Amino acid sequence: MASQYVREQVALKWTNGFARLNRGEPGITGLLTFTEAWILAREFLRPRDINETKPEFVLTQVKLAFELIGECKMLQSLVDEFLEEMKQQQFLITQECERFMSQYESTSDPQYIAQLVMRLQQWYQAWQPASALGTSMMASYTTAFQTHLFSILPPSFPRGFKALISVTFNLTHRASVPQWLLDVAPQVEGQRPDLSLWVAFDQLGFLDRYDSLVSGVCHEYVEEHILETCAEKWDEPMLAKVREWMANTIVPWMMMPYGRGARTSEEARSMLQAVGSRFDFHLCKTLSELRIKEIFDIIVDYPDSMGALQDLKECLQRVDDKALLVSSLRKANHKRLLHPGADTKLILSQYVSIIRCLRVIDPVGVLLFKVADPIRRYLRERQDTIRCIVASLVGDGESGDSLVDDSEPIQPLQQPQADDYTDPQWEPEPIDAGPEFRTNKPSDVISTLVSIYDSKELFVKELQVLLAQRLLAVKDGNYDKERRNIEILKIRFGEASLQVCEVMLKDMTDSRRIDQHVQAQQSSVLHPTIISKHFWPPLQTTTFDMPGQLKEIQERYSKEFVAFKPDKKLSWLPLLGTVKLEIELDDRTIEIDASPLEAAFVELFSQKDVWTLNELIDEVGGSIDRVTALRALSSLVLHEILKESPLDTFNLLNTKEDIEKYGVKGKQREVVMQEEATLPVVTVQQQQAEQMQVFWKFIEGMLKNLGTLPLDRIQQMLKFAPDYDRSIDQLGAFMEAARQEGLVNVKDGFWSLSNA
Amino acid sequence: MKVTVKSWHAIAQWRWDTGSNSTEDEEGDVCGICRVAFEGCCPSCKVPGDDCPLIWGECSHVFHMHCLLKWIGTAASKQQCPMDRRPWATAERKVNK
């Protein structure tokens, strides 16, 4: 039972409602006209199946009707009604959508997607309420339509949509347009053939919803093009070309999704600017990723790959891929360079290329520093690194390509310097520099190589050994090349470090002068090189006595020398040098270049025909060991002068019959021959190993007294020992070697004697 | 069998004939002043041999010439041999040794 108050309220509402609809017309005529207008408006708006013909409306009447409804403030109800009806009619769209999509799914042909889109646009336009109803009406209609549309599109639609977009590339020329597209999309003269398609996309809200899809398609397109045109093409900069390609191909396309509304080219440019720079970024990113993937081979190809490096440099300014570059180059180096199969020379030349390449990309050297670190550490572990560097320093002609450009000016080695903060040109370290980064002032390649090691003394030592080997091997007395090299190296290493080499060269010229003098007094077949022993690397000092005429020659020469230089004496290094011998046997004459020891043996065989090994060794005396003697004898056996039969007994092959009799080609001491040829000079490693033996005594004592010690303590204490100049790395390597021999143990970085 | 030596390239080291007849000793003697081997050179020289010769004293002591002259040049030396404090007298070299 409603209360009095409620009844009053209802009556009031009723009166108000009636008054609003009737608009103060007499009787209910106002109400009647409103009803007519309402019906007309609803009929006009009703969403119909577009396959049916739409009844004709007189537009002025419709307009009046809407005005009337608006006057009665009933528009909102009308819209609600309309949306409700639309909901009931939506099954029509769903049906069509399913039809096209099933066609697409069975054929995967994007033309069905295009047809679907154009059809949907027709539905959308057919149901669209008149714009006179206000923007809010339009907005709610569009929302309702799209909400429904997106809810019914099957998952295969994005795929089809993508395919359709891909088709729209390359549509600049009408000739290449597929026929179906011309059929489906209405063409506008003077415009791209896909224009209407894009309009439809926009109206249906696809562009907003599938924005990432659209740009994704474009990205893929760009990537594909870059891979196709730029991969392994390093000789010229491609970035500009790709950009040009983009301006010609992608930008006209971009006008469609992103710049359609533009009326002037000015406007279009501003609309495209944001999108364009996004695409440009993607382009740079793709190119730089490609180049980073190829970086190792690009470096191998340097300097033919200069173009690629320029590209990379430009791209990296836009894209922050430096970390990627560092990590991938490090990985590539690790996989392809720093393994036992790679020749040290190769590693060095690649390292030099890396230096040069990364200088191009990043002149400050941060990248280089990060990449170079593992290479340098690896090279330090290799034994022959120094020798390789030195060999390339002196332009060892073997490989032809020297690490050093001849065109590069020769500079002194640069030592790392502390920052000079009073320098007005001073600049802080780059922002991406690591804590270890040393400002690597653009120094030359050799300085960088030498700085792999802590001290340049090692180089000088190795250089000395190398120079000694070469000087002693020179036969024609032509030392110009060595002299020139030393002059060059003097500039690099400083005069003082190479003083020793200077003396070595002087010894060579002095020897020549002395020899000329001696020969003038009394000609001799002997032409010695007389050296100042403290200025040469340790030489093989094995001694033995020359027999017979050889000894005579030697002594005669010594005497002449003493006559020339009364206060000096000669002491021969009998194992070194070469002797050219002519051996007249019964039926043949052999001429050989023999080592002095071989010559001595030959001389002995001229005394009697059969010697045993021990007899020979006793006869030459000195400190000749079995292996050395055997090696010399084997060489004579190879020359078919001697024959070993039975074991350790050597016979002179006086005639050819003897050769046949003994069958000289038969059994040979291959084992001996396989041993490496003797070098006249004791290598630096051998020298170091010998020195280390001394220090081992210290280490042993230390560990015995103090128990366990960490490596740095051992290093500290060894520094008190005289002449100790090893780095802690070298000490570590030595200790590791000692551990492998079972002399010491290590646990948690503490070393102890293993027998303790 | 007859062996003829056509040519011979040998390597030899020179050393000072200091009179001590020990050809066998490996390291050789050092200058009593600079403690550098005789076959090396005195601290103020760079090239050994004839450019940095030795000097023999009648007291039988041998030094780098430059080292000794420098020593003799100082007032503290009193013209004495630094080894035995006898007045320094340079010995004549016996040439035919």
Side-chain angles (χ1 to χ4, degrees):
Chain A
M1 183 72 191
S3 67
Q4 176 69 25
Y5 176 74
V6 172
R7 235 178 282 141
E8 274 174 19
Q9 284 296 314
V10 172
L12 188 63
K13 285 272 177 202
W14 172 262
T15 319
N16 282 345
F18 176 78
R20 207 174 68 219
L21 293 184
N22 205 21
R23 303 178 309 283
E25 299 282 327
I28 57 166
T29 47
L31 210 54
L32 287 174
T33 49
F34 174 78
T35 313
E36 270 172 38
W38 180 262
I39 291 170
L40 182 66
R42 268 193 60 188
E43 273 307 306
F44 178 73
L45 283 179
R46 183 192 303 281
R48 291 180 180 77
D49 188 346
I50 52 174
N51 295 320
E52 295 166 12
T53 47
K54 196 173 175 177
E56 292 288 323
F57 291 96
V58 182
L59 282 178
T60 46
Q61 275 184 2
V62 176
K63 200 173 174 204
L64 280 175
F66 277 114
E67 267 169 22
L68 189 66
I69 294 169
E71 211 174 303
C72 303
K73 301 198 172 62
M74 287 299 281
L75 266 181
Q76 192 53 46
S77 313
L78 187 70
V79 170
D80 290 346
E81 192 105 351
F82 165 66
L83 293 179
E84 191 56 39
E85 268 189 89
M86 206 173 100
K87 238 177 229 166
Q88 285 162 15
Q89 294 287 330
Q90 270 166 357
F91 70 96
L92 292 167
I93 299 179
T94 313
Q95 275 171 2
E96 288 224 38
C97 191
E98 276 165 5
R99 190 159 58 79
F100 283 113
M101 280 318 288
S102 66
Q103 265 176 323
Y104 169 72
E105 275 163 33
S106 57
T107 58
S108 289
D109 188 344
Q111 69 162 302
Y112 295 108
I113 300 289
Q115 285 171 10
L116 170 67
V117 169
M118 295 318 286
R119 187 72 177 162
L120 285 173
Q121 191 194 17
Q122 282 170 11
W123 282 99
Y124 175 81
Q125 282 167 351
W127 288 4
Q128 195 174 27
S131 51
L133 290 182
T135 48
S136 68
M137 169 89 188
M138 277 296 282
S140 46
Y141 163 71
T142 309
T143 316
F145 189 86
Q146 288 176 0
T147 312
H148 172 65
L149 187 60
F150 295 145
S151 73
I152 57 166
L153 285 174
S156 59
F157 181 76
R159 188 160 53 86
F161 185 67
K162 239 171 122 171
L164 181 60
I165 298 210
S166 314
V167 172
T168 61
F169 285 110
N170 292 330
L171 282 188
T172 29
H173 320 292
R174 208 164 267 264
S176 62
V177 183
Q179 187 55 43
W180 57 261
L181 186 67
L182 294 179
D183 295 343
V184 171
Q187 297 297 309
V188 184
E189 197 51 47
Q191 292 284 353
R192 281 172 61 98
D194 51 343
L195 175 64
S196 49
L197 207 57
W198 288 104
V199 175
F201 286 157
D202 190 31
Q203 279 190 344
L204 295 172
F206 284 166
L207 283 187
D208 289 336
R209 188 174 165 82
Y210 295 121
D211 182 39
S212 63
L213 216 60
V214 175
S215 54
V217 171
C218 185
H219 285 175
E220 277 170 30
Y221 193 64
V222 171
E223 279 162 28
E224 202 179 304
H225 177 81
I226 288 180
L227 280 183
E228 211 171 276
T229 54
C230 304
E232 308 203 356
K233 186 161 171 53
W234 304 322
D235 49 347
E236 52 180 323
M238 295 302 291
L239 187 63
K241 283 193 175 178
V242 175
R243 279 195 167 135
E244 196 187 310
W245 167 83
M246 189 160 106
N248 290 336
T249 317
I250 303 286
V251 171
W253 173 85
M254 268 168 28
M255 287 299 288
M256 292 294 108
Y258 301 109
R260 244 174 313 102
R263 256 151 287 157
T264 63
S265 61
E266 200 58 37
E267 219 175 301
R269 193 168 306 141
S270 67
M271 283 170 91
L272 288 182
Q273 206 155 40
V275 194
S277 78
R278 231 170 61 208
F279 278 112
D280 187 58
F281 177 85
H282 187 73
L283 181 141
C284 288
K285 179 111 183 147
T286 312
L287 189 60
S288 82
E289 274 170 13
L290 174 72
R291 291 291 183 242
I292 287 173
K293 216 163 67 192
E294 298 170 330
I295 185 75
F296 190 86
D297 296 297
I298 291 178
I299 293 172
V300 170
D301 267 18
Y302 181 86
D304 293 339
S305 54
M306 204 56 198
L309 293 172
Q310 293 290 356
D311 280 352
L312 194 52
K313 181 182 180 181
E314 254 181 82
C315 288
L316 284 181
Q317 278 165 359
R318 200 152 149 61
V319 187
D320 186 28
D321 263 349
K322 286 188 177 171
L324 183 69
L325 174 67
V326 168
S327 70
S328 72
L329 184 54
R330 278 174 79 138
K331 218 183 273 167
N333 280 336
H334 186 71
K335 194 173 146 204
R336 295 179 58 179
L337 195 62
L338 307 180
H339 56 74
D343 190 23
T344 307
K345 208 160 205 164
L346 199 86
I347 299 181
L348 279 174
S349 69
Q350 178 74 355
Y351 178 41
V352 170
S353 296
I354 289 176
I355 293 175
R356 298 214 167 104
C357 290
L358 294 188
R359 282 263 166 74
V360 173
I361 297 173
D362 169 38
V364 191
V366 179
L367 284 182
L368 178 63
F369 181 79
K370 288 179 181 165
V371 173
D373 200 40
I375 305 178
R376 295 165 68 90
R377 245 182 294 132
Y378 183 84
L379 281 174
R380 222 172 297 162
E381 284 167 19
R382 282 225 169 185
Q383 292 190 332
D384 55 344
T385 303
I386 295 191
R387 196 168 318 147
C388 276
I389 296 175
V390 171
S392 65
L393 279 183
V394 299
D396 204 358
E398 275 172 44
S399 61
D401 51 3
S402 167
L403 294 178
V404 200
D405 264 344
D406 288 339
S407 53
E408 252 178 62
I410 302 158
Q411 301 164 336
L413 288 184
Q414 290 160 349
Q415 300 295 334
Q417 300 158 341
D419 279 344
D420 176 12
Y421 294 105
T422 57
D423 180 7
Q425 304 289 319
W426 180 87
E427 278 180 26
E429 285 177 358
I431 196 156
D432 49 351
E436 303 254 295
F437 180 75
R438 285 178 308 214
T439 325
N440 211 342
K441 295 276 155 47
S443 52
D444 69 326
V445 168
I446 291 297
S447 301
T448 317
L449 286 180
V450 172
S451 70
I452 292 178
Y453 293 88
D454 296 330
S455 74
K456 62 181 183 184
E457 275 68 38
L458 280 173
F459 282 89
V460 175
K461 262 189 193 156
E462 193 67 51
L463 187 69
Q464 215 183 325
V465 170
L466 204 82
L467 183 68
Q469 278 174 10
R470 293 162 71 105
L471 287 181
L472 293 186
V474 167
K475 291 198 183 100
D476 55 0
N478 184 1
Y479 312 115
D480 290 350
K481 192 166 162 236
E482 274 67 27
R483 182 164 292 284
R484 182 176 158 272
N485 281 333
I486 294 297
E487 290 299 329
I488 292 173
L489 292 172
K490 256 195 212 163
I491 304 176
R492 290 198 189 280
F493 286 92
E495 192 115 1
S497 321
L498 290 182
Q499 181 55 41
V500 169
C501 297
E502 190 67 8
V503 172
M504 286 162 77
L505 282 170
K506 185 171 181 296
D507 279 345
M508 300 307 282
T509 44
D510 282 356
S511 305
R512 244 169 112 73
R513 228 185 47 238
I514 292 169
D515 190 50
Q516 274 164 7
H517 181 87
V518 172
Q519 300 289 352
Q521 301 300 315
Q522 180 185 13
S523 83
S524 165
V525 289
L526 181 60
H527 303 279
T529 299
I530 300 164
I531 63 172
S532 310
K533 84 176 221 187
H534 293 281
F535 294 81
W536 287 66
L539 298 167
Q540 305 279 5
T541 49
T542 320
T543 58
F544 64 91
D545 292 331
M546 280 292 176
Q549 55 165 329
L550 295 168
K551 194 173 183 71
E552 279 170 36
I553 296 172
Q554 242 180 17
E555 280 175 352
R556 254 203 322 270
Y557 199 98
S558 294
K559 216 183 245 161
E560 279 305 321
F561 177 79
V562 174
F564 181 43
K565 302 259 174 194
D567 43 8
K568 285 185 191 166
K569 287 191 293 195
L570 281 184
S571 66
W572 301 93
L573 295 169
L575 212 54
L576 306 180
T578 50
V579 190
K580 197 168 192 173
L581 290 177
E582 192 182 75
I583 305 164
E584 282 174 44
L585 295 163
D586 290 354
D587 61 344
R588 64 198 194 281
T589 305
I590 302 175
E591 205 165 286
I592 59 168
D593 283 322
S595 75
L597 186 59
E598 286 163 25
F601 286 149
V602 169
E603 180 65 21
L604 287 174
F605 274 97
S606 70
Q607 295 168 16
K608 66 173 190 174
D609 283 358
V610 180
W611 292 80
T612 66
L613 183 59
N614 288 334
E615 280 171 350
L616 286 168
I617 292 175
D618 287 345
E619 192 65 30
V620 294
S623 46
I624 295 293
D625 58 8
R626 250 182 90 85
V627 177
T628 322
L630 269 178
R631 195 180 292 138
L633 286 167
S634 306
S635 156
L636 293 176
V637 169
L638 276 184
H639 281 108
E640 301 189 349
I641 297 164
L642 298 183
K643 170 68 207 144
E644 185 181 11
S645 163
L647 202 63
D648 285 352
T649 306
F650 291 86
N651 305 279
L652 182 67
L653 295 173
N654 251 322
T655 58
K656 280 230 160 121
E657 287 99 317
D658 292 339
I659 299 176
E660 278 145 30
K661 192 169 106 201
Y662 289 117
V664 77
K665 296 282 179 204
K667 179 168 68 80
Q668 279 168 17
R669 288 182 175 268
E670 285 164 14
V671 192
V672 179
M673 292 314 294
Q674 279 164 8
E675 281 172 43
E676 59 190 58
T678 35
L679 287 174
V681 184
V682 183
T683 63
V684 171
Q685 275 132 29
Q686 282 168 327
Q687 291 175 39
Q688 283 185 348
E690 275 167 28
Q691 282 178 26
M692 214 56 201
Q693 286 309 317
V694 179
F695 298 125
W696 167 245
K697 292 280 170 228
F698 287 112
I699 298 172
E700 203 178 13
M702 224 183 274
L703 294 176
K704 210 173 260 170
N705 289 327
L706 300 169
T708 61
L709 286 176
L711 198 60
D712 51 346
R713 275 293 301 283
I714 301 180
Q715 171 79 356
Q716 264 173 13
M717 294 175 75
L718 278 179
K719 276 191 185 148
F720 295 117
D723 297 336
Y724 183 78
D725 56 351
R726 300 301 142 82
S727 69
I728 193 154
D729 292 335
Q730 286 171 313
L731 177 67
F734 174 75
M735 293 302 284
E736 184 56 33
R739 190 184 68 79
Q740 277 165 8
E741 284 182 27
L743 295 170
V744 286
N745 286 328
V746 61
K747 197 179 169 204
D748 303 333
F750 283 84
W751 296 85
S752 59
L753 288 178
S754 58
N755 54 358
Chain B
M1 173 196 187
K2 184 167 178 286
V3 180
T4 321
V5 181
K6 301 284 254 189
S7 70
W8 182 2
H9 174 226
I11 316 287
Q13 296 171 342
W14 62 264
R15 53 196 303 149
W16 294 108
D17 184 2
T18 51
S20 66
N21 225 352
S22 57
T23 43
E24 298 305 315
D25 74 314
E26 280 165 24
E27 279 310 303
D29 289 331
V30 296
C31 166
I33 296 174
C34 67
R35 309 299 295 165
V36 174
F38 288 141
E39 284 78 21
C41 50
C42 76
S44 50
C45 280
K46 283 177 175 169
V47 184
D50 295 342
D51 293 342
C52 183
L54 301 189
I55 191 165
W56 280 260
E58 280 181 346
C59 53
S60 85
H61 292 127
V62 188
F63 305 98
H64 287 133
M65 188 176 78
H66 299 152
C67 293
L68 187 89
L69 292 182
K70 207 184 278 172
W71 161 251
I72 294 293
T74 59
S77 72
K78 299 180 191 158
Q79 309 295 308
Q80 289 166 341
C81 167
M83 303 294 266
D84 56 14
R85 296 282 161 189
R86 277 154 59 180
W88 177 261
T90 307
E92 280 296 315
R93 280 298 289 150
K94 57 258 170 193
V95 173
N96 56 343
K97 164 74 188 175

